[in-house]
Coordinates of all heavy atoms in Angstrom, one line a residue:
M1 N -17.1 13.2 9.4 CA -16.2 14.3 9.2 C -16.9 15.5 8.5 O -16.3 16.5 8.3 CB -15.0 13.8 8.5 CG -14.1 12.9 9.3 SD -13.5 13.7 10.7 CE -13.8 12.4 11.9
A2 N -18.1 15.3 8.1 CA -18.8 16.3 7.3 C -18.9 17.6 8.1 O -18.8 18.7 7.6 CB -20.2 15.8 6.9
D3 N -19.1 17.5 9.4 CA -19.2 18.7 10.3 C -17.8 19.5 10.3 O -17.8 20.7 10.2 CB -19.5 18.4 11.7 CG -21.0 17.9 11.9 OD1 -21.8 18.2 10.9 OD2 -21.3 17.3 12.9
L4 N -16.7 18.7 10.3 CA -15.4 19.3 10.3 C -15.1 20.0 9.0 O -14.6 21.1 8.9 CB -14.3 18.3 10.6 CG -12.9 18.8 10.7 CD1 -12.7 20.0 11.6 CD2 -11.9 17.7 11.0
V5 N -15.5 19.3 7.9 CA -15.3 19.9 6.5 C -16.1 21.2 6.4 O -15.6 22.2 5.9 CB -15.7 18.9 5.5 CG1 -15.7 19.5 4.1 CG2 -14.7 17.7 5.5
A6 N -17.3 21.1 6.9 CA -18.2 22.3 6.8 C -17.6 23.5 7.6 O -17.6 24.6 7.2 CB -19.6 22.0 7.3
H7 N -17.1 23.1 8.8 CA -16.5 24.1 9.7 C -15.3 24.8 9.0 O -15.2 26.0 9.0 CB -16.1 23.5 11.0 CG -15.3 24.4 11.9 ND1 -15.9 25.5 12.6 CD2 -14.0 24.5 12.2 CE1 -15.0 26.1 13.3 NE2 -13.8 25.5 13.1
L8 N -14.4 24.0 8.5 CA -13.2 24.5 7.8 C -13.6 25.4 6.6 O -13.0 26.4 6.3 CB -12.3 23.4 7.3 CG -11.5 22.7 8.4 CD1 -10.8 21.5 7.8 CD2 -10.6 23.6 9.1
S9 N -14.7 25.0 5.9 CA -15.1 25.7 4.7 C -15.7 27.1 5.2 O -15.5 28.1 4.4 CB -16.2 25.0 4.0 OG -15.7 23.8 3.4
R10 N -16.3 27.2 6.3 CA -16.8 28.4 6.8 C -15.8 29.3 7.4 O -15.9 30.5 7.4 CB -17.9 28.2 7.9 CG -19.2 27.7 7.5 CD -20.3 27.8 8.6 NE -19.8 27.1 9.8 CZ -19.9 25.8 10.1 NH1 -20.5 25.0 9.3 NH2 -19.5 25.4 11.3
T11 N -14.8 28.7 8.0 CA -13.8 29.5 8.8 C -12.4 29.7 8.1 O -11.6 30.4 8.7 CB -13.6 28.9 10.2 OG1 -13.1 27.6 10.0 CG2 -14.9 28.8 11.0
T12 N -12.3 29.2 7.0 CA -11.0 29.4 6.2 C -11.3 29.7 4.8 O -12.5 29.6 4.3 CB -10.1 28.1 6.3 OG1 -10.8 27.1 5.5 CG2 -9.9 27.6 7.7
P13 N -10.3 30.1 4.0 CA -10.5 30.4 2.6 C -10.7 29.1 1.8 O -11.0 29.2 0.6 CB -9.3 31.1 2.2 CG -8.5 31.4 3.4 CD -9.0 30.6 4.5
L14 N -10.6 28.0 2.4 CA -10.8 26.7 1.6 C -12.2 26.5 1.3 O -13.1 26.7 2.1 CB -10.3 25.5 2.5 CG -8.8 25.5 2.8 CD1 -8.5 24.4 3.8 CD2 -8.0 25.4 1.5
G15 N -12.5 25.9 0.1 CA -13.8 25.5 -0.2 C -14.0 24.1 0.3 O -13.2 23.5 0.9
P16 N -15.2 23.5 0.0 CA -15.5 22.2 0.5 C -14.5 21.1 0.0 O -14.1 20.3 0.8 CB -16.9 21.9 -0.1 CG -17.5 23.2 -0.3 CD -16.4 24.1 -0.6
A17 N -14.1 21.2 -1.2 CA -13.1 20.2 -1.7 C -11.8 20.3 -1.0 O -11.2 19.3 -0.6 CB -13.0 20.3 -3.2
G18 N -11.3 21.5 -0.9 CA -10.0 21.7 -0.2 C -10.1 21.4 1.2 O -9.1 20.8 1.8
S19 N -11.2 21.7 1.9 CA -11.4 21.3 3.3 C -11.4 19.8 3.5 O -10.8 19.2 4.4 CB -12.7 21.9 3.9 OG -12.6 23.3 3.9
A20 N -12.1 19.1 2.6 CA -12.2 17.6 2.6 C -10.8 17.0 2.4 O -10.4 16.1 3.1 CB -13.1 17.1 1.6
H21 N -10.0 17.6 1.5 CA -8.6 17.1 1.3 C -7.8 17.3 2.5 O -7.0 16.4 2.9 CB -8.0 17.9 0.1 CG -6.6 17.5 -0.2 ND1 -6.3 16.3 -0.8 CD2 -5.4 18.1 0.1 CE1 -5.0 16.2 -0.9 NE2 -4.4 17.3 -0.4
V22 N -7.8 18.5 3.2 CA -7.0 18.7 4.4 C -7.4 17.7 5.5 O -6.6 17.2 6.2 CB -7.2 20.2 4.9 CG1 -6.6 20.4 6.3 CG2 -6.6 21.1 3.9
V23 N -8.7 17.5 5.7 CA -9.2 16.6 6.7 C -8.7 15.2 6.4 O -8.2 14.5 7.3 CB -10.7 16.6 6.8 CG1 -11.2 15.5 7.7 CG2 -11.2 17.9 7.4
A24 N -8.7 14.8 5.2 CA -8.3 13.4 4.8 C -6.8 13.3 5.1 O -6.3 12.3 5.6 CB -8.6 13.1 3.3
E25 N -6.0 14.3 4.7 CA -4.5 14.3 5.0 C -4.2 14.2 6.4 O -3.3 13.5 6.9 CB -3.9 15.5 4.3 CG -3.8 15.5 2.8 CD -2.9 14.4 2.3 OE1 -1.8 14.1 2.9 OE2 -3.2 13.8 1.3
V26 N -4.9 15.0 7.3 CA -4.6 15.0 8.7 C -5.0 13.6 9.3 O -4.3 13.1 10.1 CB -5.4 16.1 9.4 CG1 -5.4 16.0 10.9 CG2 -4.9 17.5 9.0
L27 N -6.1 13.1 8.9 CA -6.5 11.8 9.4 C -5.5 10.7 9.0 O -5.2 9.8 9.8 CB -7.9 11.4 8.9 CG -9.1 12.2 9.5 CD1 -10.4 11.8 8.9 CD2 -9.1 12.0 11.0
A28 N -5.0 10.8 7.8 CA -4.0 9.8 7.3 C -2.8 9.9 8.1 O -2.1 8.9 8.5 CB -3.8 9.9 5.8
Y29 N -2.3 11.2 8.4 CA -1.1 11.4 9.1 C -1.2 10.8 10.5 O -0.3 10.1 11.0 CB -0.8 12.9 9.2 CG 0.4 13.3 10.0 CD1 1.6 13.3 9.4 CD2 0.3 13.7 11.3 CE1 2.8 13.6 10.2 CE2 1.4 14.0 12.1 CZ 2.6 14.0 11.5 OH 3.7 14.3 12.2
F30 N -2.3 11.1 11.2 CA -2.5 10.7 12.6 C -2.9 9.2 12.6 O -3.0 8.6 13.7 CB -3.4 11.6 13.4 CG -2.8 12.9 13.7 CD1 -3.2 14.1 13.2 CD2 -1.7 12.9 14.6 CE1 -2.6 15.3 13.6 CE2 -1.1 14.1 15.0 CZ -1.5 15.3 14.5
G31 N -3.3 8.6 11.5 CA -3.7 7.2 11.5 C -2.6 6.3 11.3 O -2.8 5.1 11.4
E32 N -1.4 6.8 11.2 CA -0.2 5.9 11.1 C 0.0 5.1 12.3 O -0.1 5.6 13.4 CB 1.1 6.8 10.9 CG 1.3 7.3 9.6 CD 2.7 8.1 9.5 OE1 3.0 8.9 10.4 OE2 3.4 7.8 8.5
S33 N 0.4 3.9 12.1 CA 0.7 3.0 13.2 C 2.1 3.4 13.7 O 2.9 4.2 13.0 CB 0.8 1.5 12.8 OG 1.8 1.3 11.9
V34 N 2.6 3.0 14.8 CA 3.9 3.3 15.3 C 4.9 2.8 14.3 O 5.9 3.5 14.0 CB 4.2 2.6 16.7 CG1 5.6 2.8 17.1 CG2 3.2 3.2 17.8
E35 N 4.7 1.6 13.8 CA 5.7 1.0 12.8 C 5.8 1.9 11.6 O 6.8 2.1 11.1 CB 5.3 -0.4 12.5 CG 5.5 -1.4 13.6 CD 4.3 -1.4 14.6 OE1 3.3 -0.7 14.4 OE2 4.4 -2.1 15.7
E36 N 4.6 2.3 11.0 CA 4.6 3.1 9.8 C 5.3 4.4 10.1 O 6.1 4.9 9.3 CB 3.2 3.4 9.4 CG 2.5 2.2 8.8 CD 1.0 2.4 8.7 OE1 0.4 3.2 9.4 OE2 0.4 1.7 7.8
Y37 N 5.1 5.0 11.3 CA 5.7 6.3 11.6 C 7.2 6.2 11.7 O 8.0 7.0 11.2 CB 5.1 6.8 12.9 CG 5.8 8.1 13.4 CD1 5.5 9.3 12.8 CD2 6.8 8.1 14.4 CE1 6.1 10.5 13.2 CE2 7.4 9.2 14.8 CZ 7.1 10.4 14.2 OH 7.7 11.6 14.6
V38 N 7.6 5.1 12.4 CA 9.1 4.9 12.6 C 9.7 4.7 11.2 O 10.8 5.3 10.9 CB 9.4 3.7 13.5 CG1 10.8 3.3 13.5 CG2 8.9 4.0 14.9
R39 N 9.2 3.9 10.3 CA 9.8 3.7 9.0 C 9.8 5.0 8.2 O 10.8 5.3 7.6 CB 9.0 2.6 8.3 CG 9.2 1.2 8.8 CD 8.5 0.1 7.9 NE 8.6 -1.1 8.6 CZ 7.5 -1.7 9.2 NH1 6.3 -1.1 9.1 NH2 7.6 -2.8 9.8
R40 N 8.7 5.7 8.2 CA 8.7 7.0 7.5 C 9.7 8.0 8.0 O 10.5 8.6 7.2 CB 7.3 7.6 7.5 CG 7.2 8.9 6.8 CD 5.8 9.5 6.8 NE 5.2 9.8 8.1 CZ 5.6 10.8 8.8 NH1 6.4 11.7 8.3 NH2 5.0 11.0 10.0
R41 N 9.7 8.2 9.3 CA 10.7 9.1 9.9 C 12.1 8.7 9.7 O 13.0 9.5 9.4 CB 10.4 9.3 11.4 CG 9.2 10.2 11.6 CD 9.4 11.6 11.1 NE 10.3 12.3 11.9 CZ 11.1 13.4 11.5 NH1 11.0 13.8 10.3 NH2 11.9 14.0 12.3
H42 N 12.4 7.4 9.8 CA 13.7 6.9 9.5 C 14.2 7.2 8.1 O 15.3 7.7 7.9 CB 13.8 5.4 9.8 CG 15.2 4.8 9.6 ND1 15.6 4.3 8.4 CD2 16.2 4.6 10.5 CE1 16.8 3.9 8.5 NE2 17.2 4.1 9.7
A43 N 13.3 7.0 7.2 CA 13.7 7.3 5.8 C 13.9 8.8 5.6 O 14.8 9.2 4.9 CB 12.6 6.8 4.8
E44 N 13.0 9.6 6.2 CA 13.2 11.1 6.0 C 14.5 11.5 6.6 O 15.2 12.3 6.0 CB 12.0 11.8 6.8 CG 10.7 11.7 6.1 CD 9.6 12.2 6.9 OE1 9.8 12.7 8.1 OE2 8.4 12.2 6.5
L45 N 14.8 11.1 7.8 CA 16.0 11.5 8.5 C 17.3 10.9 7.9 O 18.3 11.6 7.8 CB 15.9 11.2 10.0 CG 14.8 11.9 10.8 CD1 14.6 11.3 12.2 CD2 15.0 13.4 10.8
Q46 N 17.2 9.7 7.4 CA 18.3 9.1 6.7 C 18.6 9.9 5.4 O 19.8 10.1 5.1 CB 18.0 7.7 6.4 CG 19.2 6.9 5.9 CD 18.8 5.4 5.8 OE1 17.8 5.1 5.2 NE2 19.7 4.5 6.3
G47 N 17.5 10.4 4.8 CA 17.7 11.2 3.6 C 18.4 12.5 3.8 O 18.9 13.1 3.0
R48 N 18.3 13.0 5.1 CA 19.0 14.2 5.5 C 20.4 14.0 5.9 O 21.1 14.9 6.4 CB 18.2 14.9 6.6 CG 16.8 15.4 6.3 CD 16.2 16.1 7.4 NE 14.8 16.3 7.2 CZ 13.9 16.7 8.1 NH1 14.4 16.9 9.3 NH2 12.7 16.8 7.8
G49 N 20.8 12.7 5.9 CA 22.2 12.4 6.2 C 22.5 12.1 7.6 O 23.7 11.9 8.0
L50 N 21.5 11.9 8.5 CA 21.7 11.5 9.9 C 22.1 10.1 10.0 O 21.7 9.2 9.2 CB 20.4 11.8 10.7 CG 20.2 13.2 11.2 CD1 20.0 14.2 10.1 CD2 19.1 13.2 12.3
T51 N 22.9 9.8 11.0 CA 23.3 8.4 11.3 C 22.1 7.7 12.0 O 21.3 8.4 12.6 CB 24.5 8.3 12.1 OG1 24.2 8.9 13.4 CG2 25.7 9.0 11.5
N52 N 22.1 6.4 12.0 CA 21.1 5.6 12.7 C 21.1 6.0 14.2 O 20.0 6.1 14.8 CB 21.3 4.1 12.6 CG 20.7 3.6 11.3 OD1 19.8 4.3 10.7 ND2 21.0 2.4 10.9
E53 N 22.2 6.2 14.8 CA 22.2 6.5 16.2 C 21.4 7.8 16.5 O 20.6 7.9 17.4 CB 23.7 6.7 16.7 CG 23.8 7.0 18.2 CD 25.2 7.1 18.7 OE1 26.1 6.7 18.0 OE2 25.4 7.6 19.8
R54 N 21.7 8.8 15.7 CA 21.0 10.1 15.8 C 19.5 10.0 15.4 O 18.6 10.6 16.1 CB 21.6 11.2 14.9 CG 23.1 11.5 15.2 CD 23.2 12.4 16.4 NE 22.4 13.6 16.1 CZ 22.4 14.7 16.8 NH1 23.2 14.8 17.8 NH2 21.6 15.7 16.5
I55 N 19.2 9.2 14.4 CA 17.9 9.0 14.0 C 17.1 8.3 15.1 O 16.0 8.8 15.4 CB 17.8 8.1 12.7 CG1 18.4 8.9 11.5 CG2 16.4 7.6 12.4 CD1 18.6 8.1 10.2
F56 N 17.6 7.3 15.7 CA 16.8 6.5 16.7 C 16.7 7.4 17.9 O 15.6 7.3 18.6 CB 17.5 5.2 17.0 CG 17.4 4.2 15.8 CD1 18.5 3.5 15.5 CD2 16.3 4.1 15.0 CE1 18.5 2.6 14.4 CE2 16.3 3.3 13.9 CZ 17.4 2.5 13.6
E57 N 17.6 8.2 18.3 CA 17.5 9.2 19.4 C 16.3 10.1 19.1 O 15.5 10.4 20.0 CB 18.8 10.0 19.6 CG 19.9 9.2 20.2 CD 21.2 10.0 20.3 OE1 21.2 11.2 19.9 OE2 22.2 9.4 20.7
R58 N 16.3 10.7 17.9 CA 15.2 11.6 17.6 C 13.9 11.0 17.6 O 12.9 11.5 18.1 CB 15.5 12.3 16.2 CG 14.4 13.3 15.9 CD 14.7 14.2 14.7 NE 15.9 15.0 14.9 CZ 16.3 15.8 13.9 NH1 15.6 15.9 12.8 NH2 17.3 16.6 14.1
I59 N 13.8 9.8 17.0 CA 12.5 9.1 16.9 C 12.0 8.8 18.3 O 10.8 8.9 18.6 CB 12.5 7.8 16.0 CG1 12.7 8.3 14.6 CG2 11.3 7.0 16.2 CD1 13.0 7.1 13.6
T60 N 12.9 8.3 19.2 CA 12.6 8.0 20.6 C 12.0 9.3 21.3 O 11.0 9.2 22.0 CB 13.8 7.5 21.3 OG1 14.2 6.3 20.7 CG2 13.5 7.2 22.8
A61 N 12.6 10.4 21.0 CA 12.1 11.7 21.6 C 10.8 12.1 21.0 O 9.9 12.7 21.7 CB 13.1 12.8 21.4
E62 N 10.5 11.8 19.7 CA 9.3 12.2 19.0 C 8.1 11.4 19.4 O 6.9 11.9 19.5 CB 9.5 12.2 17.5 CG 10.4 13.2 17.0 CD 10.7 13.1 15.5 OE1 10.2 12.1 14.9 OE2 11.4 13.9 15.0
L63 N 8.3 10.1 19.6 CA 7.1 9.2 19.8 C 6.2 9.5 20.9 O 5.0 9.5 20.7 CB 7.6 7.7 19.9 CG 8.1 7.0 18.6 CD1 8.7 5.7 19.0 CD2 6.9 6.9 17.7
P64 N 6.6 10.0 22.1 CA 5.7 10.3 23.1 C 4.8 11.5 22.8 O 3.8 11.7 23.4 CB 6.6 10.6 24.3 CG 7.9 10.0 24.0 CD 8.0 10.0 22.5
H65 N 5.1 12.3 21.8 CA 4.4 13.5 21.4 C 3.4 13.2 20.2 O 2.7 14.1 19.8 CB 5.3 14.6 21.0 CG 6.2 14.9 22.1 ND1 5.8 15.6 23.3 CD2 7.5 14.6 22.3 CE1 6.9 15.7 24.1 NE2 7.9 15.1 23.6
R66 N 3.3 12.0 19.8 CA 2.4 11.6 18.8 C 1.0 11.7 19.3 O 0.8 11.6 20.6 CB 2.7 10.2 18.2 CG 4.0 10.0 17.6 CD 4.0 10.7 16.2 NE 3.1 10.0 15.3 CZ 2.6 10.6 14.2 NH1 3.0 11.7 13.8 NH2 1.7 10.0 13.5
R67 N 0.0 11.7 18.5 CA -1.4 11.8 18.9 C -1.8 10.7 19.9 O -2.4 11.0 20.9 CB -2.3 11.8 17.7 CG -3.8 11.9 18.0 CD -4.6 12.0 16.8 NE -6.0 11.8 17.1 CZ -6.7 10.7 16.8 NH1 -6.1 9.7 16.2 NH2 -8.0 10.6 17.1
V68 N -1.4 9.5 19.6 CA -1.6 8.4 20.5 C -0.2 8.1 21.0 O 0.6 7.7 20.2 CB -2.2 7.2 19.8 CG1 -2.3 6.0 20.7 CG2 -3.6 7.6 19.2
A69 N 0.1 8.3 22.2 CA 1.4 8.1 22.7 C 1.8 6.6 22.5 O 1.1 5.7 22.8 CB 1.5 8.4 24.2
A70 N 3.0 6.5 21.9 CA 3.5 5.1 21.6 C 4.2 4.6 22.9 O 4.7 5.4 23.7 CB 4.5 5.2 20.5
P71 N 4.4 3.3 23.0 CA 5.2 2.8 24.1 C 6.6 3.2 23.9 O 7.1 3.5 22.7 CB 5.0 1.3 23.9 CG 4.7 1.1 22.5 CD 3.9 2.3 22.1
R72 N 7.4 3.3 24.9 CA 8.8 3.6 24.9 C 9.5 2.4 24.2 O 9.4 1.3 24.6 CB 9.4 3.8 26.3 CG 10.8 4.3 26.2 CD 11.1 5.1 27.5 NE 12.4 5.6 27.5 CZ 12.8 6.7 26.9 NH1 12.0 7.4 26.2 NH2 14.1 7.0 26.9
L73 N 10.2 2.7 23.1 CA 10.9 1.7 22.3 C 12.4 1.9 22.4 O 12.9 3.0 22.3 CB 10.4 1.8 20.8 CG 9.0 1.5 20.5 CD1 8.7 1.8 19.1 CD2 8.5 0.1 20.9
S74 N 13.1 0.8 22.5 CA 14.5 0.8 22.6 C 15.1 1.0 21.1 O 14.3 0.8 20.2 CB 15.1 -0.4 23.2 OG 14.9 -1.5 22.3
A75 N 16.3 1.3 21.0 CA 17.0 1.4 19.7 C 16.9 0.1 19.0 O 16.7 0.1 17.8 CB 18.4 1.9 19.8
R76 N 17.0 -1.0 19.7 CA 16.9 -2.3 19.1 C 15.5 -2.5 18.5 O 15.4 -3.1 17.4 CB 17.2 -3.4 20.1 CG 17.2 -4.8 19.6 CD 17.6 -5.8 20.6 NE 17.6 -7.1 20.0 CZ 17.5 -8.2 20.6 NH1 17.3 -8.2 21.9 NH2 17.5 -9.4 20.0
Q77 N 14.5 -2.2 19.3 CA 13.1 -2.3 18.8 C 12.9 -1.4 17.5 O 12.2 -1.9 16.6 CB 12.1 -2.0 19.9 CG 12.1 -3.0 21.0 CD 11.2 -2.5 22.1 OE1 11.5 -1.4 22.6 NE2 10.3 -3.3 22.6
L78 N 13.4 -0.2 17.5 CA 13.3 0.6 16.4 C 14.0 0.0 15.2 O 13.5 0.1 14.1 CB 13.9 2.0 16.7 CG 13.2 2.8 17.7 CD1 14.0 4.1 18.1 CD2 11.8 3.2 17.3
R79 N 15.2 -0.5 15.4 CA 15.9 -1.2 14.3 C 15.1 -2.3 13.7 O 15.0 -2.5 12.5 CB 17.3 -1.7 14.7 CG 18.3 -0.7 14.8 CD 19.7 -1.3 15.0 NE 20.6 -0.3 15.5 CZ 20.8 0.1 16.8 NH1 20.1 -0.5 17.7 NH2 21.6 1.0 17.1
R80 N 14.4 -3.1 14.6 CA 13.6 -4.2 14.1 C 12.4 -3.7 13.2 O 12.1 -4.4 12.3 CB 13.1 -5.0 15.3 CG 14.1 -6.0 15.8 CD 13.4 -6.9 16.8 NE 14.3 -7.9 17.2 CZ 14.1 -8.7 18.3 NH1 13.0 -8.6 19.0 NH2 14.9 -9.7 18.6
I81 N 11.8 -2.6 13.6 CA 10.7 -2.1 12.9 C 11.2 -1.7 11.5 O 10.6 -1.9 10.5 CB 10.1 -0.9 13.6 CG1 9.3 -1.4 14.8 CG2 9.2 -0.1 12.6 CD1 8.8 -0.3 15.7
V82 N 12.4 -1.0 11.4 CA 12.9 -0.5 10.2 C 13.5 -1.6 9.3 O 13.2 -1.7 8.1 CB 14.0 0.5 10.4 CG1 14.7 0.9 9.1 CG2 13.5 1.8 11.1
Y83 N 14.2 -2.5 9.9 CA 14.9 -3.5 9.1 C 14.4 -4.9 9.1 O 14.8 -5.8 8.5 CB 16.4 -3.6 9.5 CG 17.1 -2.3 9.2 CD1 17.6 -1.5 10.3 CD2 17.4 -1.8 8.0 CE1 18.2 -0.3 10.1 CE2 18.0 -0.6 7.7 CZ 18.4 0.1 8.8 OH 19.1 1.3 8.6
G84 N 13.3 -5.1 10.0 CA 12.7 -6.4 10.0 C 13.3 -7.4 11.0 O 14.1 -7.5 11.7

């Protein structure tokens, strides 16, 4: 990732430390497994007051647009990921 950090440092106002931080955050974000993503999004959306029905609809719509396309999951499978 050194090349990417150097590129960001050259092409943005970020210095090497800031660029390295951004790269690490992006990699961590896209490194989430499907299960981690579902749990995180469920908690975020639940915190906004959405019902499980709406949450699972939204997560189902979001998953195909992730960096690595996730398999199509049913509401039941999503519930199992969240609640075990």
